[in-house]
Amino acid sequence: MSGHSVHRAPWEHLTTDELYDIVRLRNRVFALEQRVTAEDFDGRDREPATEHWWTGDTETSVTGYLRLVRPAAAEPHPADSAAPTRVIGRVATHPDHRGQGVAGRLVAAVLAEHGHEAFVLHAQQYVAALYERHGFVRFGTPYDEAGITHVGMYRPAS
């Protein structure tokens, strides 16, 4: 995976080219491949505490992406655990780079920076094992979101 640098920026520090490449990847994966019809741009991208994380190389500007946001007031999490302070979402990997550890590398980078905080995420069930390798555990019952089975996942602060 040489050449796949991990980058991070808040909204106001994204260049127009970085933003374009992020939007293009999210559109390709969520709208075109997965046929998600729900609005991708929910206003959370621009919040001051939101962090945009991505990998890139010289051939494909953005090979992987995830968004880190603060949880909503009623963010679901296991009843017997501390409320999460971070939520991982919008995880996407360019089709040409799947199976190369791109998403795992992004999750590891986020946890290296913020692992002292509790996390929650809502994983597509078929990729839940990726997050389990990083200490996340499933909670609740699987549910349908945009026609795709999802499962809640939690990782306590370290």
Side-chain angles (χ1 to χ4, degrees):
M1 280 226 349
S2 63
H4 289 264
S5 302
V6 174
H7 308 276
R8 146 179 100 156
W11 178 267
E12 66 270 11
H13 293 149
L14 290 171
T15 68
T16 53
D17 286 339
E18 289 165 346
L19 179 59
Y20 177 82
D21 289 339
I22 288 167
V23 168
R24 192 167 172 215
L25 177 64
R26 282 170 47 172
N27 180 67
R28 178 178 188 154
V29 171
F30 302 126
L32 300 177
E33 280 184 35
Q34 297 181 351
R35 306 275 185 227
V36 174
T37 57
E39 178 62 54
D40 181 30
F41 300 99
D42 55 5
R44 308 260 358 236
D45 290 304
R46 299 173 70 161
E47 292 176 358
T50 296
E51 295 178 10
H52 301 272
W53 291 74
W54 70 97
T55 57
D57 66 18
T58 53
E59 289 106 38
T60 307
S61 299
V62 173
T63 57
Y65 171 82
L66 68 73
R67 178 175 83 172
L68 193 60
V69 298
R70 293 295 184 176
E75 185 69 47
H77 64 283
D80 59 344
S81 58
T85 58
R86 302 277 182 169
V87 180
I88 292 175
R90 302 295 197 266
V91 181
T93 301
H94 190 284
D96 295 344
H97 296 271
R98 292 189 184 139
Q100 300 174 23
V102 172
R105 190 168 186 203
L106 284 167
V107 171
V110 165
L111 294 175
E113 182 69 24
H114 298 291
H116 60 283
E117 299 178 61
F119 278 81
V120 72
L121 58 84
H122 307 280
Q124 293 179 3
Q125 189 168 322
Y126 77 97
V127 294
L130 160 73
Y131 303 108
E132 288 171 334
R133 288 192 292 274
H134 293 277
F136 284 85
V137 294
R138 299 172 197 222
F139 70 90
T141 56
Y143 59 95
D144 180 272
E145 185 176 309
I148 302 167
T149 303
H150 282 69
V151 61
M153 301 194 79
Y154 179 83
R155 184 182 185 277
S158 56

